[in-house]
Amino acid sequence: MSQPILNLLNLNKSFGAVKATSDLSLTVMPGEIHALIGPNGAGKTTLIQQIYGAQKQDSGQISLNGSEITALSVPDRVKAGIGRSFQISNVLMDFTVMENGIIAEQARLGQSFRFLRPAFSDRQLIRGGKAILERVGLEKRAEQRVGDLAHGERRMLELALALATSPSLLLLDEPMAGAGPEDSQRMADIIEGLRGTVAILLIEHDMDAVFRLADRLTVMVEGAVIAAGTAAEISANEAVKLAYLGGEE
C-alpha cells in the first residue's frame, strides 16, 4: 500500500478556551480527493492554515510525502509540494489574466520578480503562462484585467496559479464559494479532472459537489474528527446525521 501524501498526527490548536483542532489525525492518499466537512466553526480553515504553515499548531505532527514538515515555513512548505487556494481570492486584481499566469510561471521556474515588465513580453514565459491558463479554460480571457472577471472565473484563475508549481498536495478552501451555478459546475469539472494527478484536501459547503467529488470524507465538529470514510459511509453515519446533516431529515 502506498504511503500517504499528507499525514496529520494528533494536531491540537486552541484559541483561549476554544479548541480549533483537538487531537486531530487524518491522511490524504496519492491522487485522491479528500473532503473536509463540518458546520461553521468546526475548525476546518484553521486546520488548512496549520497544514499550510500560516498557523502554528500547539502540538502534533505534520508529514508530507513521508517527511515531517511541522517546523517548516510557508515558503518551504510550498517548495516541499503544497499548493493552496483561499476562501478569499488572492490573485493580482490590477494585472491581466496573462500577467498573473506569467508571474506564476516565473515562480515555477524560480526566477526573480524584480523585472516584471520585461517578463510580460518574454516569449518563454508567455508560453508557460498560457499553459497555466489552459488548465482551467481561461486562455480566452488572457488580456482581460483580473478585477473585471466574474467571481467564479477569478476562483478558477486562483486554482490555475496554485497548480502552476505542480504540487503533490492541493489545499482548496471553498473554491465554489460565491460562484454562480455555471461557474460552480465548471470548477467541479476541473477538480474532477485532477483526480489521480494530485492529492486534494477540499473544504466545500456545496454538499452535492462534495459527495460527487470526494473519494473519502472527514467530518469535523468543534475541532475534532467525528467520522471518516466514503460518501456512502458518511451518509449512513448516525453521528454525522445528528451533528451536521440534520438528523433524520
Side-chain angles (χ1 to χ4, degrees), residues 12 150 204:
N12 288 282
E204 181 53 57

Side-chain angles (χ1 to χ4, degrees), residues 5-6 48 50-53 62-65 69 72-85 162 165-171 198:
I5 290 292
L6 177 70
I48 291 285
Q50 289 174 73
I51 297 167
Y52 193 62
I62 303 171
S63 296
L64 183 72
N65 294 314
I69 63 168
L72 294 186
S73 66
V74 170
D76 285 339
R77 294 186 196 209
V78 172
K79 289 177 184 176
I82 294 180
R84 178 183 177 182
S85 78
T165 55
S166 300
S168 55
L169 173 69
L170 184 60
L171 307 174
V198 58

Side-chain angles (χ1 to χ4, degrees), residues 8-82:
L8 307 180
L9 183 62
N10 302 127
L11 286 192
N12 288 282
K13 178 67 179 179
S14 296
F15 298 96
V18 177
K19 284 195 170 184
T21 50
S22 179
D23 276 331
L24 189 146
S25 298
L26 68 79
T27 59
V28 179
M29 302 304 294
E32 81 166 335
I33 299 174
H34 191 129
L36 187 64
I37 66 173
N40 289 333
K44 304 183 297 296
T45 294
T46 299
L47 177 60
I48 291 285
Q49 290 173 332
Q50 289 174 73
I51 297 167
Y52 193 62
Q55 286 272 4
K56 181 173 175 57
Q57 69 282 349
D58 297 330
S59 62
Q61 186 179 87
I62 303 171
S63 296
L64 183 72
N65 294 314
S67 298
E68 187 175 350
I69 63 168
T70 310
L72 294 186
S73 66
V74 170
D76 285 339
R77 294 186 196 209
V78 172
K79 289 177 184 176
I82 294 180

Side-chain angles (χ1 to χ4, degrees), residues 140-198:
K140 293 182 180 179
R141 296 281 196 268
E143 301 309 316
Q144 192 163 349
R145 177 180 169 273
V146 171
D148 295 329
L149 292 177
H151 177 78
E153 290 179 319
R154 290 201 298 271
R155 298 313 304 262
M156 280 180 257
L157 176 60
E158 185 181 28
L159 175 58
L161 303 185
L163 288 168
T165 55
S166 300
S168 55
L169 173 69
L170 184 60
L171 307 174
L172 299 181
D173 195 349
E174 299 188 36
M176 301 171 204
E182 184 176 338
D183 283 339
S184 291
Q185 183 62 52
R186 283 181 61 195
M187 178 66 79
D189 290 342
I190 292 167
I191 295 171
E192 176 79 57
L194 295 172
R195 189 190 312 276
T197 65
V198 58

Side-chain angles (χ1 to χ4, degrees), residues 79-193:
K79 289 177 184 176
I82 294 180
R84 178 183 177 182
S85 78
F86 296 79
Q87 279 183 307
I88 300 172
S89 183
N90 67 338
V91 291
L92 300 173
M93 303 289 280
D94 290 328
F95 288 75
T96 68
V97 174
M98 176 58 80
E99 286 168 348
N100 273 261
I102 288 171
I103 291 169
E105 177 68 358
Q106 278 191 295
R108 187 185 74 81
L109 296 174
Q111 295 183 5
S112 170
F113 296 108
R114 288 178 297 170
F115 306 108
L116 286 178
R117 291 304 167 191
F120 293 154
S121 59
D122 183 295
R123 290 183 179 181
Q124 179 186 358
L125 292 177
I126 290 171
R127 284 195 298 272
K130 183 179 180 182
I132 288 169
L133 302 184
E134 286 174 345
R135 295 194 72 172
V136 297
L138 284 179
E139 65 276 9
K140 293 182 180 179
R141 296 281 196 268
E143 301 309 316
Q144 192 163 349
R145 177 180 169 273
V146 171
D148 295 329
L149 292 177
H151 177 78
E153 290 179 319
R154 290 201 298 271
R155 298 313 304 262
M156 280 180 257
L157 176 60
E158 185 181 28
L159 175 58
L161 303 185
L163 288 168
T165 55
S166 300
S168 55
L169 173 69
L170 184 60
L171 307 174
L172 299 181
D173 195 349
E174 299 188 36
M176 301 171 204
E182 184 176 338
D183 283 339
S184 291
Q185 183 62 52
R186 283 181 61 195
M187 178 66 79
D189 290 342
I190 292 167
I191 295 171
E192 176 79 57

